[in-house]
Amino acid sequence: MDRQTSPPQQQPPAAGPDQPRAGAESGPGSRRAAAQRLQMRQDLTAAAMELFATQGYEETTVDQIAAAAGVARRTFFRYFRSKEEAIFPDHDDTLVRVADLLASAEAEEHPLDVVCRGIKEVLRMYASTPEMSVARYQLIRQVPALREREIAVVSRYERLFTRYLLGRFDAAEQTPPGWQRGGDDDSMLAEVSAAAVVAAHNHVLRRWLRAGGHGDVEAQLDHSFGVIRGTFWPTPPSGARRRGATVAPGASGDGGEAEAVSALSASPGGEVLITVARTDAPLESVVDSIRAALAGRTSG
């Protein structure tokens, strides 16, 4: 496998795996430079994808990718650390956008709704170039190294969401009553909630990619969010406000009486339920199995 690394004098990409870049200075020159950088990243990615498809991933070298894009090898390493990184060119910028979205969210908005809005930015990144996204998906399925890279990329978002949720749990003075647990379950709830939202996104995205990138993928993701909300937090905590609407304490989103208690505001004495499901199982089946397990535990 061609795992050439950047020469010592070359500067690696600005954003590290978990440190989103700070925003660049504004101005025509800065915007023009950013546009040129984005275009070069896209050109290198397109060249890499074309070579991987025609001659194979293992057989393609960084030198060949650079030559196909019409640049020198050292130019490639100004944008990517390795050839597998060239397959995921947009995640650094998307991670910055998601981090900005989380940081600018209103304190009154339910934190899990904020996370749902954040992961939708990732979905839009894929949906903006459906043909490229489908080709990338097909390639990743064939190359184990790229699957490992994809897992690492996805984990960056999950860690970002987990940190955000933990911060909201800790900010008692900014959080409506019911969101602050104050117990030892905060980290578990943050990780489980972040993982559930990311898993829903991945499920919808893979289904859309297998269909050739056709269909309203945002509507499909919104439906999945609805399923998750109905399972994990069907009733917003007291004073919680979903984006664009305020929910009164003790009332559900449609004005009816609450039928279930939010997983986030459950009593600290409640038990923890663990279920196991296949990764390729439909989301609805996973939710049904959780509900059946809860029903069995209650009746027992």
Side-chain angles (χ1 to χ4, degrees), residues 271-293:
E271 297 180 355
V272 175
L273 173 68
I274 299 177
T275 62
V276 179
R278 292 177 55 90
T279 58
D280 57 351
L283 181 61
E284 293 79 2
S285 299
V286 176
V287 172
D288 288 343
S289 68
I290 294 174
R291 286 174 173 157

Side-chain angles (χ1 to χ4, degrees), residues 101-102 104-118 164-165 168 174-176 179 229 236-237 239-245:
L101 183 151
L102 299 179
S104 62
E106 298 177 1
E108 294 80 8
E109 186 177 1
H110 196 298
L112 290 168
D113 282 341
V114 178
V115 170
C116 288
R117 289 200 292 118
Y164 167 76
L165 291 172
R168 292 298 301 271
Q174 301 176 5
T175 305
W179 292 3
R229 287 188 184 102
R241 181 172 63 82
R242 297 207 189 281
R243 191 172 178 87

Side-chain angles (χ1 to χ4, degrees), residues 48-293:
M49 293 289 295
E50 178 66 22
L51 288 170
F52 293 160
T54 56
Q55 66 182 32
Y57 173 80
E58 298 292 348
E59 292 73 21
T60 298
T61 66
V62 166
D63 289 336
Q64 291 173 330
I65 296 172
V71 299
R73 180 175 183 271
R74 64 179 179 274
T75 300
F76 176 94
F77 283 114
R78 292 195 186 108
Y79 294 89
F80 302 111
R81 288 178 285 259
S82 62
K83 68 180 185 180
E84 55 262 35
E85 188 174 272
I87 302 300
F88 307 94
D90 303 320
H91 281 288
D92 282 345
D93 291 336
T94 303
L95 194 70
V96 171
R97 290 201 307 276
V98 174
D100 289 344
L101 183 151
L102 299 179
S104 62
E106 298 177 1
E108 294 80 8
E109 186 177 1
H110 196 298
L112 290 168
D113 282 341
V114 178
V115 170
C116 288
R117 289 200 292 118
I119 199 66
K120 188 175 284 189
E121 289 295 313
V122 185
L123 185 77
R124 287 170 177 164
M125 177 197 69
Y126 286 99
S128 64
T129 55
E131 292 184 2
M132 176 68 74
S133 296
V134 171
R136 182 189 295 120
Y137 171 70
Q138 294 172 344
L139 178 65
I140 289 172
R141 293 180 65 190
Q142 301 170 8
V143 182
L146 294 181
R147 288 200 296 272
E148 294 174 3
R149 180 73 186 183
E150 183 183 41
I151 292 171
V153 167
V154 169
S155 69
R156 296 166 66 184
Y157 296 104
E158 195 167 316
R159 288 195 297 269
L160 179 63
F161 294 145
T162 300
R163 288 196 298 269
Y164 167 76
L165 291 172
L166 281 173
R168 292 298 301 271
F169 286 143
D170 291 340
E173 70 281 1
Q174 301 176 5
T175 305
W179 292 3
Q180 169 78 8
R181 289 184 56 83
D184 296 332
D185 293 336
D186 285 3
S187 60
M188 180 197 69
L189 285 171
E191 290 185 14
V192 169
S193 300
V197 172
V198 172
H201 165 271
N202 293 344
H203 173 83
V204 169
L205 176 62
R206 283 193 296 266
R207 186 170 57 189
W208 179 74
L209 292 170
R210 287 194 295 266
H214 301 294
D216 189 344
V217 67
E218 284 198 34
Q220 296 173 30
L221 186 61
D222 286 337
H223 170 74
S224 294
F225 288 160
V227 173
I228 292 178
R229 287 188 184 102
T231 302
F232 288 99
W233 60 98
T235 304
S238 175
R241 181 172 63 82
R242 297 207 189 281
R243 191 172 178 87
T246 301
V247 181
S252 63
D254 58 1
E257 291 298 323
E259 295 180 356
V261 178
S262 168
L264 288 179
S265 58
S267 63
E271 297 180 355
V272 175
L273 173 68
I274 299 177
T275 62
V276 179
R278 292 177 55 90
T279 58
D280 57 351
L283 181 61
E284 293 79 2
S285 299
V286 176
V287 172
D288 288 343
S289 68
I290 294 174
R291 286 174 173 157

Side-chain angles (χ1 to χ4, degrees), residues 12-24:
D18 293 305
Q19 298 295 329
R21 296 196 300 269

